[in-house]
Amino acid sequence: MKSTKIISLTVIIALLGSMLPTVRAIAPPPPKRFAQRQANIERRIDTLLARMTVEEKLGQLQQLDGDVDGSFRAEHPDLVRRGLLGSFLNVRGAKRVNELQRIAMTESRLKIPVLFGYDVIHGYRTIFPVPLGEASSWSPVDAERSAQIAAREASAAGVRWTFAPMVDIARDPRWGRIVEGAGEDPYFGSVMARARVRGFQGADYSDPTRVVACAKHFVAYGAAEAGRDYNTTDMSETTLREIYLPPFKAAVDAGVGTFMSAFNDLNGVPTSANPFTLTEVLRNEWKFDGLVVSDYESVKELMNHNLAADEREAARAAINAGVDIEMVSRLFNKHGAQLLRENKVSMGTLDEAVRRVLRIKFRLGLFDNPYVDESREAKEIMSAEHLRAAREVAARSLVLLKNERETLPLTKNLRSIAITGPLADDQKNLTGSWNADALNKTEGIVSVLAGIRAKTGAETKINYAKGCEITGDDTSGFAEAVRAAQNSDVAIVVVGESAEMSGEAASRSSLDLPGRQLDLIKAVQATGKPTVVVLMNGRPLTINWIAENSPAILETWFAGTEAGNAIADVLFGDVNPGGKLPVTFPRSVGQIPLYYNHKNTGRPPDAKNKYTSKYLDVDVTPLFPFGHGLSYTQFSLTNLQLSAQRIRPDGRIIASVEVENTGRRAGDEVVQLYIRDVAASVTRPVRELKGFERITLRPGEWRRVSFTLTPESLGFYDRQMRFRVEPGAFKVIVGTSSVGGLEAGFEVIQR
Ligand code: NOJ
């Protein structure tokens, strides 16, 4: 009986194979043709390198900035003509790009194409949810789909390089850039990193509808002390290897073409001049052969870091550590020749950097196909298909944090709905902190008010009143909002942060709702009308009063161009929400950093015992845990089975569980598998995510979901920094968030 079950499980695994993100092999093996092409590329690079002057070599390492509207600057054409400028950021638009490219391909001595890069983070003109929001879908398929569409639109405008995905792990919601990543967990972040790289690059980024991706910011940028952007990071090598490096490694395994070195220093060495991370780990251990671009002027900033006394030293430190392209500052260019003469940088180092840049240009097919088809822009950007995808992905990214007394979904034939809050009729904040070519544009962006109007019929009266602004103290609009609620069957209050309160240089010391928004919610709820709180924000917020007192809360992050339609789809039950939090919501800033995969300590929290690890003034638990999210239906998990009781350190084990939709609607559940290493030579987290799958079930339908645990899932870095699986007991916990779940155990035995 047992063995037939195991066989059938193995068959299920084999059948589901590539559909399951958690069991998918890390990267498909490169085809033979790929290897031949690479050899050919290296030969072409050799020929070029032999012909290049030092100035032309340094030119390939220079990246300059255009203007926010996508245009280039007066000096740029001539620099391209002279071979002194290898790549751009922000310059875009098919015509402009072709104009510069024509100069490179017809008027420069060596006819090396220029490369156009841009921050296409969650969409180019059709904007998808901010990355943290999209990660809340717990759906790598959706992440891949949105990145692919972003690549198609960007490439139609001549952009062939995106500075994404941002794969920084973030455990501190004060840090505004938490919005740009996939949250707090290294396993989850790795799955999302792979999906996003695949989405941007496809199997082969010489495809003119693809872009080369950039894993950033290498590395540990998310660990900025006190959550203050650009701040110092300091950590053990174990934490670096187990928490911050894995998504970068996953990006390498997925074939990412480029990396960006970060702004921060790490254990005393700035990451844009850090030979350990840029060369030892990235090149020597991981065998990455693509290029590294510095972050914006981070080479020049080596002087601010007090690592370099002058520009020359800064250039030398960065290039020798492994930075290939210098973004915006021009120190390689200015001082490179002299550094060579003084033997402070070797010709071998310079050639290697140039080789990496040329390699990516060849892999993009730019030498053979340098121009963009100018007819694509009009056809592809914001196409109906892209907008449909944006709506679907946005709806799948929403997280139902709370839903008492079935407040949601709303019925469509309500007589009246009050809609209030500063973000209810807003378009400009919906696209979040990186909005690429949608910057300052509102055409086509669907507000919540517009989405709800489109969803409801003429018989439903919409009573809209803004109530208040996001910030400030003005409560003069409350009375109208309260009247609107009094005159309506239900009230929807749309509140949160403005888009610019998260993202770069947008750290906050308070995680409360800004301004008087909480008071607005209280005033509306005091009418006694059922009230739904719709949140828009780029980070976890401390929303304790709402969590306790509001009957329904929908977390929507910044959901992009189609936000309003997607939110209406969920509010009215056309889409059953299935998103989950990729990050912990704390109760208080004082708890930070607060993350689910913490250590147990010698004195784990125990309410009955004073001398345990907790606070006097706040509960030690999160407000909403990692992995949390509700649905309009219910699911039950039963019958957790393991394929073995004992395995060897190099063995695998399959865990499976039955999931049933026990409610009345079709819906999605994200089944999450965690492990706990019960005793080990170094302390291990209380639980670690090692698998997840988002599944859809009809009412009454059930399915057995399986996960394979491999040595990669069970291992850790020991005291000698060796990654290994230690013998001993392990727990497997399968549930629907990082709290609770079904448990089983197995043992790893000595070989
Ligand atoms: C600085 C940011 O840190 C980085 O994420 C971005 O890609 C560059 N600027 C280019 O805009």
Side-chain angles (χ1 to χ4, degrees):
M1 178 62 193
K2 199 166 175 199
S3 63
T4 41
K5 252 204 183 119
I6 291 169
I7 289 167
S8 64
L9 283 177
T10 317
V11 171
I12 291 170
I13 290 287
L15 283 177
L16 293 178
S18 63
M19 285 166 58
L20 295 177
T22 48
V23 296
R24 176 141 58 182
I26 279 169
K32 258 197 222 139
R33 179 168 65 74
F34 179 79
Q36 283 162 2
R37 220 170 73 196
Q38 297 318 304
N40 186 31
I41 285 175
E42 299 306 313
R43 274 194 299 277
R44 290 178 74 179
I45 296 174
D46 290 339
T47 311
L48 257 179
L49 268 175
R51 298 181 57 207
M52 290 173 86
T53 64
V54 166
E55 285 66 32
E56 284 164 336
K57 288 179 185 175
L58 292 168
Q60 287 306 307
L61 310 189
Q62 182 67 61
Q63 175 167 112
L64 292 179
D65 196 357
D67 286 320
V68 276
D69 68 355
S71 54
F72 51 83
R73 302 202 167 134
E75 65 166 335
H76 292 159
D78 193 49
L79 289 173
V80 170
R81 189 172 292 116
R82 288 158 56 209
L84 303 181
L85 178 50
S87 61
F88 286 91
L89 79 149
N90 290 329
V91 174
R92 60 191 187 280
K95 270 209 163 60
R96 286 186 196 123
V97 160
N98 279 347
E99 186 184 336
L100 286 170
Q101 199 66 291
R102 202 154 277 121
I103 295 173
M105 299 314 288
T106 61
E107 299 175 32
S108 77
R109 194 176 77 89
L110 293 172
K111 310 200 178 347
I112 299 174
V114 278
L115 175 52
F116 296 87
Y118 191 40
D119 290 288
V120 184
I121 311 293
H122 51 109
Y124 177 77
R125 179 67 180 84
T126 303
I127 303 297
F128 286 79
V130 290
L132 190 64
E134 194 181 79
S136 302
S137 68
W138 286 59
S139 168
V141 174
D142 287 281
E144 185 169 341
R145 183 180 182 202
S146 84
Q148 180 177 355
I149 289 171
R152 197 180 303 146
E153 291 196 357
S155 62
V159 172
R160 294 299 306 284
W161 182 12
T162 177
F163 303 124
M166 188 278 222
V167 301
D168 294 312
I169 295 299
R171 293 168 150 188
D172 190 332
R174 291 172 297 183
W175 190 55
R177 303 200 79 169
I178 195 170
V179 68
E180 296 177 49
E184 72 187 36
D185 183 66
Y187 172 83
F188 182 77
S190 300
V191 173
M192 286 296 168
R194 278 196 289 273
R196 288 180 168 144
V197 170
R198 272 197 308 267
F200 286 126
Q201 297 190 166
D204 177 355
Y205 50 86
S206 70
D207 176 341
T209 68
R210 297 288 187 162
V211 298
V212 64
C214 180
K216 72 182 189 187
H217 308 83
F218 198 58
V219 56
Y221 182 41
E225 275 184 6
R228 181 161 58 85
D229 206 4
Y230 315 120
N231 204 5
T232 292
T233 66
D234 201 288
M235 66 185 66
S236 69
E237 190 175 334
T238 308
T239 302
L240 180 67
R241 288 191 179 275
E242 292 194 353
I243 305 297
Y244 292 93
L245 287 178
F248 287 97
K249 174 64 162 60
V252 171
D253 292 339
V256 74
T258 79
F259 261 57
M260 186 184 290
S261 65
F263 286 127
N264 57 291
D265 63 335
L266 168 66
N267 300 337
V269 184
T271 50
S272 284
N274 194 318
F276 172 65
T277 53
L278 291 173
T279 297
E280 212 174 304
V281 174
L282 183 60
R283 306 285 182 190
N284 299 347
E285 282 182 32
W286 296 353
K287 312 290 176 218
F288 174 70
D289 72 355
L291 71 83
V292 173
V293 61
S294 77
D295 204 343
Y296 207 99
E297 297 201 320
S298 65
V299 175
K300 190 166 145 195
E301 289 167 15
L302 295 174
M303 294 186 284
N304 291 343
H305 277 291
N306 306 114
L307 184 93
D310 56 28
E311 291 187 344
R312 201 136 37 102
E313 273 186 28
R316 173 195 178 186
I319 195 168
N320 283 340
V323 170
D324 304 312
I325 291 183
E326 183 180 358
M327 187 189 280
V328 178
S329 56
R330 306 186 189 200
L331 310 193
F332 289 4
N333 237 274
K334 240 162 111 182
H335 304 288
Q338 191 176 343
L339 287 168
L340 283 170
R341 280 195 300 275
E342 291 171 353
N343 280 329
K344 289 185 170 156
V345 171
S346 71
M347 190 58 88
T349 300
L350 176 61
D351 283 353
E352 189 54 37
V354 176
R355 175 179 294 279
R356 292 169 187 152
V357 176
L358 296 177
R359 189 179 280 146
I360 296 305
K361 291 185 175 183
F362 274 112
R363 286 185 186 163
L364 278 161
L366 287 176
F367 282 85
D368 305 314
N369 191 9
Y371 304 112
V372 50
D373 169 357
E374 290 179 20
S375 71
R376 281 182 54 204
E377 249 171 345
K379 285 185 295 210
E380 292 176 24
I381 292 181
M382 278 188 112
S383 68
E385 181 203 338
H386 294 182
L387 291 173
R388 197 168 47 247
R391 180 173 183 162
E392 286 167 10
V393 173
R396 285 168 64 79
S397 75
L398 307 187
V399 187
L400 184 64
L401 292 177
K402 184 178 175 189
N403 192 23
E404 270 177 8
R405 302 185 294 278
E406 297 194 358
T407 306
L408 288 175
L410 303 173
T411 55
K412 284 183 201 156
N413 53 11
L414 287 166
R415 273 173 306 135
S416 52
I417 306 174
I419 302 179
T420 180
L423 287 155
D425 191 22
D426 177 275
Q427 291 176 297
K428 97 174 173 356
N429 287 294
L430 297 185
T431 50
S433 64
W434 281 115
N435 27 37
D437 202 53
L439 179 73
N440 298 331
K441 295 179 185 146
T442 49
E443 310 96 83
I445 297 175
V446 185
S447 72
V448 174
L449 185 61
I452 292 177
R453 282 212 166 108
K455 179 72 70 185
T456 48
E459 63 284 1
T460 306
K461 183 149 189 291
I462 306 285
N463 296 315
Y464 168 72
K466 187 171 186 181
C468 63
E469 301 297 330
I470 296 171
T471 54
D473 255 341
D474 186 359
T475 55
S476 59
F478 279 22
E480 198 193 342
V482 167
R483 250 191 326 274
Q486 281 162 343
N487 294 332
S488 304
D489 295 340
V490 297
I492 299 171
V493 196
V494 190
V495 292
E497 298 180 300
S498 65
E500 69 215 15
M501 285 181 183
S502 58
E504 191 178 347
S507 297
R508 292 184 64 201
S509 68
S510 158
L511 301 179
D512 292 343
L513 271 180
R516 301 302 293 271
Q517 297 180 97
L518 178 58
D519 293 331
L520 176 68
I521 297 170
K522 289 179 178 172
V524 169
Q525 272 188 221
T527 62
K529 294 297 164 86
T531 303
V532 178
V533 176
V534 173
L535 291 171
M536 293 185 185
N537 42 292
R539 55 159 64 75
L541 296 176
T542 44
I543 44 168
N544 304 4
W545 189 92
I546 307 172
E548 208 167 300
N549 299 290
S550 300
I553 311 170
L554 185 67
E555 173 59 80
T556 72
W557 310 104
F558 295 109
T561 308
E562 285 284 325
N565 284 330
I567 291 168
D569 285 340
V570 167
L571 290 176
F572 290 90
D574 288 338
V575 173
N576 191 348
K580 301 271 181 174
L581 296 178
V583 69
T584 301
F585 272 47
R587 297 173 188 274
S588 147
V589 169
Q591 291 176 301
I592 297 170
L594 185 69
Y595 45 87
Y596 85 91
N597 49 350
H598 60 86
K599 300 290 179 69
N600 200 38
T601 80
R603 295 186 171 194
D606 172 1
K608 287 187 261 45
N609 187 348
K610 174 172 166 65
Y611 295 97
T612 59
S613 183
K614 56 190 194 302
Y615 298 98
L616 292 176
D617 52 357
V618 66
D619 195 298
V620 74
T621 59
L623 185 61
F624 294 110
F626 174 86
H628 169 76
L630 305 172
S631 163
Y632 297 150
T633 186
Q634 294 80 42
F635 296 90
S636 81
L637 267 58
T638 50
N639 204 3
L640 172 61
Q641 292 182 0
L642 300 182
S643 60
Q645 292 308 308
R646 269 183 289 283
I647 58 167
R648 305 224 176 250
D650 58 356
R652 292 165 166 252
I653 188 162
I654 297 165
S656 70
V657 71
E658 283 169 19
V659 188
E660 184 179 355
N661 180 346
T662 55
R664 283 172 285 126
R665 287 169 175 267
D668 288 9
E669 182 55 280
V670 180
V671 187
Q672 303 164 37
L673 175 135
Y674 299 86
I675 62 156
R676 178 167 186 168
D677 190 338
V678 176
S681 61
V682 294
T683 58
R684 303 301 305 151
V686 291
R687 55 164 79 194
E688 298 173 87
L689 184 73
K690 294 297 176 184
F692 65 90
E693 195 188 349
R694 180 168 174 156
I695 59 167
T696 305
L697 293 175
R698 293 185 302 274
E701 192 186 4
W702 73 275
R703 212 184 106 184
R704 183 163 275 278
V705 176
S706 306
F707 302 96
T708 302
L709 291 168
T710 64
E712 202 194 337
S713 332
L714 303 177
F716 60 85
Y717 287 90
D718 68 9
R719 297 183 200 186
Q720 283 74 41
M721 278 309 125
R722 291 170 310 196
F723 185 85
R724 60 192 200 99
V725 179
E726 278 184 2
F730 282 81
K731 262 191 197 166
V732 172
I733 311 144
V734 180
T736 56
S737 87
S738 60
V739 173
L742 303 174
E743 289 192 15
F746 69 94
E747 206 176 328
V748 172
I749 50 167
Q750 205 62 266
R751 298 164 181 280

